[in-house]
Amino acid sequence: MEHSPAAAWIAQAADAAQRQGSGDLLRVVLIVMVLGCVLTAWFLLRGYTRKDD
């Protein structure tokens, strides 16, 4: 493996990051998944509240 300076490595990483296309889609999928889990947990757990009237 060749030794490359840090500046060249950072430039290559920045170039690779610009070529990626599914980053936004993955971010949206993860956010929707987390929100869905929170909503499902709220829906399921609200049935376990005690109603001491």
Short mmCIF file of all heavy atoms in Angstrom, two decimals:
data_model
loop_
_atom_site.label_atom_id
_atom_site.label_comp_id
_atom_site.label_asym_id
_atom_site.label_seq_id
_atom_site.Cartn_x
_atom_site.Cartn_y
_atom_site.Cartn_z
N MET A 1 0.84 -1.18 0.00
CA MET A 1 0.00 0.00 0.00
C MET A 1 0.88 1.24 0.00
O MET A 1 1.79 1.37 0.80
CB MET A 1 -0.89 -0.03 1.24
CG MET A 1 -1.85 1.10 1.30
SD MET A 1 -3.02 0.80 2.65
CE MET A 1 -3.49 2.45 2.97
N GLU A 2 0.60 2.13 -0.91
CA GLU A 2 1.38 3.36 -1.01
C GLU A 2 1.01 4.33 0.09
O GLU A 2 -0.12 4.37 0.55
CB GLU A 2 1.10 4.05 -2.35
CG GLU A 2 1.77 3.41 -3.53
CD GLU A 2 1.54 4.23 -4.77
OE1 GLU A 2 1.31 5.44 -4.67
OE2 GLU A 2 1.57 3.63 -5.85
N HIS A 3 2.00 5.11 0.45
CA HIS A 3 1.73 6.17 1.42
C HIS A 3 1.23 7.39 0.65
O HIS A 3 1.85 7.85 -0.29
CB HIS A 3 3.01 6.53 2.19
CG HIS A 3 2.82 7.70 3.10
ND1 HIS A 3 2.08 7.61 4.24
CD2 HIS A 3 3.26 8.97 3.03
CE1 HIS A 3 2.07 8.78 4.85
NE2 HIS A 3 2.80 9.62 4.13
N SER A 4 0.07 7.91 1.05
CA SER A 4 -0.44 9.12 0.42
C SER A 4 -0.64 10.17 1.50
O SER A 4 -1.06 9.86 2.61
CB SER A 4 -1.76 8.85 -0.30
OG SER A 4 -2.70 8.35 0.61
N PRO A 5 -0.33 11.41 1.19
CA PRO A 5 -0.49 12.46 2.20
C PRO A 5 -1.94 12.63 2.62
O PRO A 5 -2.87 12.24 1.90
CB PRO A 5 0.01 13.72 1.50
CG PRO A 5 0.48 13.33 0.14
CD PRO A 5 0.20 11.88 -0.05
N ALA A 6 -2.13 13.19 3.79
CA ALA A 6 -3.48 13.34 4.34
C ALA A 6 -4.35 14.21 3.45
O ALA A 6 -5.54 13.96 3.30
CB ALA A 6 -3.40 13.93 5.75
N ALA A 7 -3.77 15.25 2.86
CA ALA A 7 -4.56 16.14 2.00
C ALA A 7 -5.10 15.40 0.79
O ALA A 7 -6.25 15.61 0.37
CB ALA A 7 -3.72 17.33 1.57
N ALA A 8 -4.29 14.52 0.20
CA ALA A 8 -4.75 13.76 -0.95
C ALA A 8 -5.84 12.77 -0.54
O ALA A 8 -6.81 12.57 -1.27
CB ALA A 8 -3.57 13.02 -1.59
N TRP A 9 -5.68 12.17 0.64
CA TRP A 9 -6.68 11.22 1.12
C TRP A 9 -8.01 11.92 1.38
O TRP A 9 -9.07 11.41 1.03
CB TRP A 9 -6.19 10.56 2.41
CG TRP A 9 -7.08 9.49 2.89
CD1 TRP A 9 -7.11 8.21 2.47
CD2 TRP A 9 -8.10 9.61 3.88
NE1 TRP A 9 -8.09 7.50 3.14
CE2 TRP A 9 -8.71 8.35 4.02
CE3 TRP A 9 -8.56 10.65 4.67
CZ2 TRP A 9 -9.75 8.12 4.91
CZ3 TRP A 9 -9.59 10.42 5.56
CH2 TRP A 9 -10.17 9.17 5.66
N ILE A 10 -7.97 13.12 1.96
CA ILE A 10 -9.19 13.89 2.23
C ILE A 10 -9.84 14.31 0.92
O ILE A 10 -11.06 14.28 0.78
CB ILE A 10 -8.87 15.10 3.12
CG1 ILE A 10 -8.49 14.60 4.52
CG2 ILE A 10 -10.04 16.06 3.20
CD1 ILE A 10 -7.99 15.68 5.45
N ALA A 11 -9.03 14.70 -0.07
CA ALA A 11 -9.58 15.08 -1.37
C ALA A 11 -10.27 13.90 -2.05
O ALA A 11 -11.34 14.04 -2.65
CB ALA A 11 -8.48 15.64 -2.25
N GLN A 12 -9.67 12.71 -1.93
CA GLN A 12 -10.29 11.52 -2.51
C GLN A 12 -11.59 11.17 -1.79
O GLN A 12 -12.57 10.77 -2.42
CB GLN A 12 -9.33 10.34 -2.44
CG GLN A 12 -8.17 10.45 -3.39
CD GLN A 12 -7.16 9.34 -3.19
OE1 GLN A 12 -7.27 8.58 -2.24
NE2 GLN A 12 -6.18 9.25 -4.07
N ALA A 13 -11.61 11.33 -0.47
CA ALA A 13 -12.82 11.04 0.29
C ALA A 13 -13.93 12.02 -0.07
O ALA A 13 -15.09 11.64 -0.19
CB ALA A 13 -12.52 11.10 1.78
N ALA A 14 -13.58 13.29 -0.25
CA ALA A 14 -14.59 14.29 -0.64
C ALA A 14 -15.14 14.01 -2.02
O ALA A 14 -16.34 14.16 -2.27
CB ALA A 14 -13.99 15.69 -0.57
N ASP A 15 -14.27 13.58 -2.92
CA ASP A 15 -14.71 13.24 -4.28
C ASP A 15 -15.65 12.03 -4.26
O ASP A 15 -16.67 12.01 -4.94
CB ASP A 15 -13.51 12.97 -5.16
CG ASP A 15 -13.91 12.71 -6.60
OD1 ASP A 15 -14.78 13.46 -7.12
OD2 ASP A 15 -13.35 11.77 -7.21
N ALA A 16 -15.32 11.04 -3.46
CA ALA A 16 -16.17 9.86 -3.35
C ALA A 16 -17.52 10.20 -2.72
O ALA A 16 -18.55 9.65 -3.08
CB ALA A 16 -15.46 8.78 -2.54
N ALA A 17 -17.52 11.12 -1.76
CA ALA A 17 -18.78 11.52 -1.10
C ALA A 17 -19.70 12.24 -2.07
O ALA A 17 -20.92 12.11 -1.98
CB ALA A 17 -18.47 12.41 0.10
N GLN A 18 -19.15 12.98 -3.01
CA GLN A 18 -19.98 13.69 -3.98
C GLN A 18 -20.61 12.72 -4.98
O GLN A 18 -21.67 12.98 -5.51
CB GLN A 18 -19.16 14.73 -4.73
CG GLN A 18 -18.81 15.93 -3.89
CD GLN A 18 -17.95 16.92 -4.63
OE1 GLN A 18 -17.48 16.64 -5.73
NE2 GLN A 18 -17.74 18.07 -4.04
N ARG A 19 -19.96 11.59 -5.24
CA ARG A 19 -20.47 10.64 -6.20
C ARG A 19 -21.54 9.73 -5.63
O ARG A 19 -22.24 9.05 -6.37
CB ARG A 19 -19.33 9.79 -6.76
CG ARG A 19 -18.47 10.56 -7.73
CD ARG A 19 -17.41 9.67 -8.31
NE ARG A 19 -16.34 9.58 -7.31
CZ ARG A 19 -15.53 8.55 -7.18
NH1 ARG A 19 -15.66 7.51 -7.95
NH2 ARG A 19 -14.58 8.55 -6.27
N GLN A 20 -21.69 9.69 -4.34
CA GLN A 20 -22.70 8.83 -3.74
C GLN A 20 -24.07 9.44 -3.94
O GLN A 20 -24.26 10.63 -3.75
CB GLN A 20 -22.44 8.64 -2.26
CG GLN A 20 -21.20 7.82 -1.98
CD GLN A 20 -20.96 7.66 -0.50
OE1 GLN A 20 -21.64 8.28 0.29
NE2 GLN A 20 -20.00 6.84 -0.14
N GLY A 21 -25.06 8.61 -4.28
CA GLY A 21 -26.38 9.14 -4.57
C GLY A 21 -27.46 8.71 -3.60
O GLY A 21 -28.50 9.33 -3.52
N SER A 22 -27.22 7.65 -2.84
CA SER A 22 -28.30 7.13 -2.00
C SER A 22 -28.23 7.63 -0.57
O SER A 22 -28.94 7.12 0.29
CB SER A 22 -28.25 5.60 -2.02
OG SER A 22 -27.05 5.17 -1.43
N GLY A 23 -27.41 8.59 -0.26
CA GLY A 23 -27.28 9.09 1.11
C GLY A 23 -28.56 9.72 1.61
O GLY A 23 -28.98 9.48 2.75
N ASP A 24 -29.20 10.53 0.79
CA ASP A 24 -30.44 11.19 1.20
C ASP A 24 -31.57 10.18 1.37
O ASP A 24 -32.35 10.27 2.32
CB ASP A 24 -30.85 12.24 0.17
CG ASP A 24 -29.89 13.41 0.14
OD1 ASP A 24 -29.23 13.66 1.16
OD2 ASP A 24 -29.80 14.06 -0.92
N LEU A 25 -31.64 9.22 0.48
CA LEU A 25 -32.68 8.20 0.58
C LEU A 25 -32.52 7.38 1.85
O LEU A 25 -33.49 7.12 2.56
CB LEU A 25 -32.63 7.27 -0.64
CG LEU A 25 -33.63 6.12 -0.63
CD1 LEU A 25 -35.06 6.65 -0.65
CD2 LEU A 25 -33.38 5.21 -1.81
N LEU A 26 -31.30 7.00 2.16
CA LEU A 26 -31.05 6.23 3.38
C LEU A 26 -31.40 7.04 4.62
O LEU A 26 -31.98 6.52 5.57
CB LEU A 26 -29.58 5.79 3.42
CG LEU A 26 -29.16 4.96 4.63
CD1 LEU A 26 -29.98 3.66 4.66
CD2 LEU A 26 -27.69 4.66 4.57
N ARG A 27 -31.09 8.31 4.60
CA ARG A 27 -31.41 9.19 5.73
C ARG A 27 -32.93 9.27 5.93
O ARG A 27 -33.42 9.18 7.06
CB ARG A 27 -30.83 10.58 5.48
CG ARG A 27 -30.90 11.50 6.67
CD ARG A 27 -30.16 12.80 6.40
NE ARG A 27 -28.75 12.54 6.16
CZ ARG A 27 -28.10 12.94 5.06
NH1 ARG A 27 -28.71 13.61 4.12
NH2 ARG A 27 -26.82 12.68 4.92
N VAL A 28 -33.68 9.42 4.85
CA VAL A 28 -35.13 9.50 4.94
C VAL A 28 -35.70 8.18 5.44
O VAL A 28 -36.60 8.15 6.30
CB VAL A 28 -35.74 9.88 3.57
CG1 VAL A 28 -37.25 9.70 3.56
CG2 VAL A 28 -35.37 11.31 3.22
N VAL A 29 -35.19 7.06 4.95
CA VAL A 29 -35.68 5.75 5.38
C VAL A 29 -35.42 5.55 6.87
O VAL A 29 -36.29 5.07 7.60
CB VAL A 29 -35.01 4.63 4.54
CG1 VAL A 29 -35.27 3.26 5.16
CG2 VAL A 29 -35.53 4.67 3.12
N LEU A 30 -34.26 5.93 7.35
CA LEU A 30 -33.95 5.78 8.77
C LEU A 30 -34.84 6.67 9.64
O LEU A 30 -35.31 6.24 10.70
CB LEU A 30 -32.48 6.10 9.02
CG LEU A 30 -31.49 5.06 8.51
CD1 LEU A 30 -30.07 5.55 8.69
CD2 LEU A 30 -31.69 3.75 9.22
N ILE A 31 -35.09 7.89 9.22
CA ILE A 31 -35.94 8.79 10.00
C ILE A 31 -37.37 8.26 10.05
O ILE A 31 -38.00 8.24 11.11
CB ILE A 31 -35.90 10.22 9.40
CG1 ILE A 31 -34.52 10.83 9.66
CG2 ILE A 31 -36.99 11.11 9.99
CD1 ILE A 31 -34.28 12.14 8.94
N VAL A 32 -37.89 7.80 8.91
CA VAL A 32 -39.25 7.25 8.89
C VAL A 32 -39.33 5.99 9.75
O VAL A 32 -40.32 5.79 10.47
CB VAL A 32 -39.68 6.97 7.43
CG1 VAL A 32 -40.96 6.16 7.38
CG2 VAL A 32 -39.85 8.28 6.68
N MET A 33 -38.29 5.17 9.73
CA MET A 33 -38.29 3.96 10.53
C MET A 33 -38.30 4.29 12.02
O MET A 33 -39.07 3.68 12.79
CB MET A 33 -37.06 3.11 10.21
CG MET A 33 -37.03 1.79 10.94
SD MET A 33 -35.60 0.79 10.53
CE MET A 33 -34.28 1.78 11.20
N VAL A 34 -37.50 5.25 12.45
CA VAL A 34 -37.47 5.63 13.86
C VAL A 34 -38.81 6.23 14.28
O VAL A 34 -39.35 5.89 15.34
CB VAL A 34 -36.31 6.62 14.13
CG1 VAL A 34 -36.41 7.24 15.50
CG2 VAL A 34 -34.98 5.90 13.98
N LEU A 35 -39.36 7.10 13.46
CA LEU A 35 -40.66 7.68 13.80
C LEU A 35 -41.76 6.62 13.84
O LEU A 35 -42.65 6.68 14.70
CB LEU A 35 -41.03 8.77 12.79
CG LEU A 35 -40.20 10.05 12.88
CD1 LEU A 35 -40.60 11.02 11.77
CD2 LEU A 35 -40.34 10.70 14.23
N GLY A 36 -41.70 5.65 12.96
CA GLY A 36 -42.67 4.56 12.98
C GLY A 36 -42.55 3.72 14.23
O GLY A 36 -43.56 3.30 14.81
N CYS A 37 -41.33 3.46 14.67
CA CYS A 37 -41.13 2.70 15.91
C CYS A 37 -41.67 3.46 17.12
O CYS A 37 -42.30 2.87 18.00
CB CYS A 37 -39.66 2.39 16.11
SG CYS A 37 -39.03 1.17 14.95
N VAL A 38 -41.42 4.76 17.16
CA VAL A 38 -41.93 5.57 18.27
C VAL A 38 -43.45 5.60 18.26
O VAL A 38 -44.09 5.44 19.31
CB VAL A 38 -41.35 7.01 18.19
CG1 VAL A 38 -42.05 7.94 19.15
CG2 VAL A 38 -39.86 6.98 18.47
N LEU A 39 -44.05 5.77 17.12
CA LEU A 39 -45.50 5.80 17.02
C LEU A 39 -46.11 4.45 17.40
O LEU A 39 -47.12 4.39 18.11
CB LEU A 39 -45.93 6.19 15.60
CG LEU A 39 -47.43 6.34 15.36
CD1 LEU A 39 -47.98 7.47 16.22
CD2 LEU A 39 -47.71 6.59 13.91
N THR A 40 -45.50 3.36 16.96
CA THR A 40 -45.99 2.03 17.31
C THR A 40 -45.87 1.78 18.80
O THR A 40 -46.80 1.24 19.42
CB THR A 40 -45.21 0.96 16.53
OG1 THR A 40 -45.35 1.22 15.13
CG2 THR A 40 -45.72 -0.43 16.84
N ALA A 41 -44.75 2.17 19.40
CA ALA A 41 -44.57 2.00 20.84
C ALA A 41 -45.60 2.81 21.62
O ALA A 41 -46.18 2.34 22.60
CB ALA A 41 -43.16 2.40 21.24
N TRP A 42 -45.85 4.04 21.19
CA TRP A 42 -46.85 4.88 21.87
C TRP A 42 -48.23 4.25 21.77
O TRP A 42 -48.98 4.19 22.74
CB TRP A 42 -46.86 6.28 21.25
CG TRP A 42 -47.98 7.12 21.77
CD1 TRP A 42 -48.05 7.76 22.96
CD2 TRP A 42 -49.23 7.38 21.09
NE1 TRP A 42 -49.25 8.41 23.06
CE2 TRP A 42 -49.99 8.19 21.95
CE3 TRP A 42 -49.76 7.00 19.87
CZ2 TRP A 42 -51.25 8.63 21.59
CZ3 TRP A 42 -51.01 7.44 19.52
CH2 TRP A 42 -51.75 8.24 20.37
N PHE A 43 -48.57 3.76 20.58
CA PHE A 43 -49.89 3.16 20.37
C PHE A 43 -50.08 1.91 21.22
O PHE A 43 -51.14 1.70 21.80
CB PHE A 43 -50.07 2.83 18.88
CG PHE A 43 -51.41 2.24 18.55
CD1 PHE A 43 -52.54 3.03 18.54
CD2 PHE A 43 -51.53 0.90 18.27
CE1 PHE A 43 -53.78 2.49 18.24
CE2 PHE A 43 -52.76 0.35 17.97
CZ PHE A 43 -53.89 1.15 17.95
N LEU A 44 -49.04 1.09 21.29
CA LEU A 44 -49.14 -0.15 22.08
C LEU A 44 -49.13 0.13 23.58
O LEU A 44 -49.86 -0.50 24.34
CB LEU A 44 -48.01 -1.10 21.72
CG LEU A 44 -48.08 -1.71 20.32
CD1 LEU A 44 -46.83 -2.52 20.04
CD2 LEU A 44 -49.32 -2.56 20.15
N LEU A 45 -48.29 1.05 24.02
CA LEU A 45 -48.15 1.29 25.45
C LEU A 45 -49.29 2.11 26.04
O LEU A 45 -49.50 2.08 27.25
CB LEU A 45 -46.81 1.97 25.73
CG LEU A 45 -45.59 1.09 25.49
CD1 LEU A 45 -44.32 1.90 25.67
CD2 LEU A 45 -45.60 -0.11 26.41
N ARG A 46 -50.02 2.84 25.22
CA ARG A 46 -51.11 3.64 25.78
C ARG A 46 -52.27 2.75 26.24
O ARG A 46 -53.07 3.16 27.07
CB ARG A 46 -51.61 4.68 24.79
CG ARG A 46 -52.43 4.13 23.66
CD ARG A 46 -52.80 5.21 22.68
NE ARG A 46 -53.61 4.64 21.62
CZ ARG A 46 -54.91 4.86 21.48
NH1 ARG A 46 -55.52 5.66 22.31
NH2 ARG A 46 -55.56 4.30 20.51
N GLY A 47 -52.33 1.53 25.77
CA GLY A 47 -53.36 0.60 26.20
C GLY A 47 -53.09 0.00 27.56
O GLY A 47 -53.97 -0.59 28.17
N TYR A 48 -51.87 0.18 28.07
CA TYR A 48 -51.51 -0.41 29.36
C TYR A 48 -51.68 0.57 30.52
O TYR A 48 -51.31 0.26 31.63
CB TYR A 48 -50.06 -0.89 29.33
CG TYR A 48 -49.89 -2.11 28.46
CD1 TYR A 48 -49.19 -2.02 27.26
CD2 TYR A 48 -50.42 -3.34 28.83
CE1 TYR A 48 -49.02 -3.13 26.46
CE2 TYR A 48 -50.25 -4.44 28.03
CZ TYR A 48 -49.55 -4.34 26.84
OH TYR A 48 -49.40 -5.43 26.06
N THR A 49 -52.22 1.74 30.26
CA THR A 49 -52.42 2.69 31.35
C THR A 49 -53.54 2.24 32.24
O THR A 49 -54.55 1.68 31.78
CB THR A 49 -52.73 4.10 30.81
OG1 THR A 49 -53.89 4.03 29.98
CG2 THR A 49 -51.56 4.65 29.97
N ARG A 50 -53.39 2.47 33.53
CA ARG A 50 -54.42 2.08 34.49
C ARG A 50 -55.44 3.19 34.63
O ARG A 50 -55.09 4.36 34.72
CB ARG A 50 -53.80 1.81 35.85
CG ARG A 50 -52.96 0.59 35.85
CD ARG A 50 -52.49 0.31 37.25
NE ARG A 50 -51.67 -0.86 37.30
CZ ARG A 50 -51.09 -1.31 38.39
NH1 ARG A 50 -51.25 -0.65 39.52
NH2 ARG A 50 -50.35 -2.39 38.36
N LYS A 51 -56.69 2.81 34.66
CA LYS A 51 -57.76 3.79 34.84
C LYS A 51 -58.41 3.50 36.18
O LYS A 51 -59.34 2.71 36.28
CB LYS A 51 -58.75 3.72 33.70
CG LYS A 51 -58.13 4.07 32.38
CD LYS A 51 -59.11 4.04 31.25
CE LYS A 51 -58.40 4.43 29.97
NZ LYS A 51 -59.22 4.26 28.81
N ASP A 52 -57.89 4.11 37.23
CA ASP A 52 -58.39 3.91 38.58
C ASP A 52 -59.47 4.96 38.87
O ASP A 52 -59.20 6.00 39.44
CB ASP A 52 -57.27 4.01 39.61
CG ASP A 52 -56.27 2.89 39.44
OD1 ASP A 52 -56.66 1.83 38.93
OD2 ASP A 52 -55.09 3.09 39.81
N ASP A 53 -60.67 4.69 38.47
CA ASP A 53 -61.76 5.65 38.69
C ASP A 53 -62.51 5.32 39.98
O ASP A 53 -62.79 4.26 40.34
CB ASP A 53 -62.76 5.63 37.53
CG ASP A 53 -62.12 6.26 36.30
OD1 ASP A 53 -61.16 7.04 36.46
OD2 ASP A 53 -62.57 5.96 35.19
#
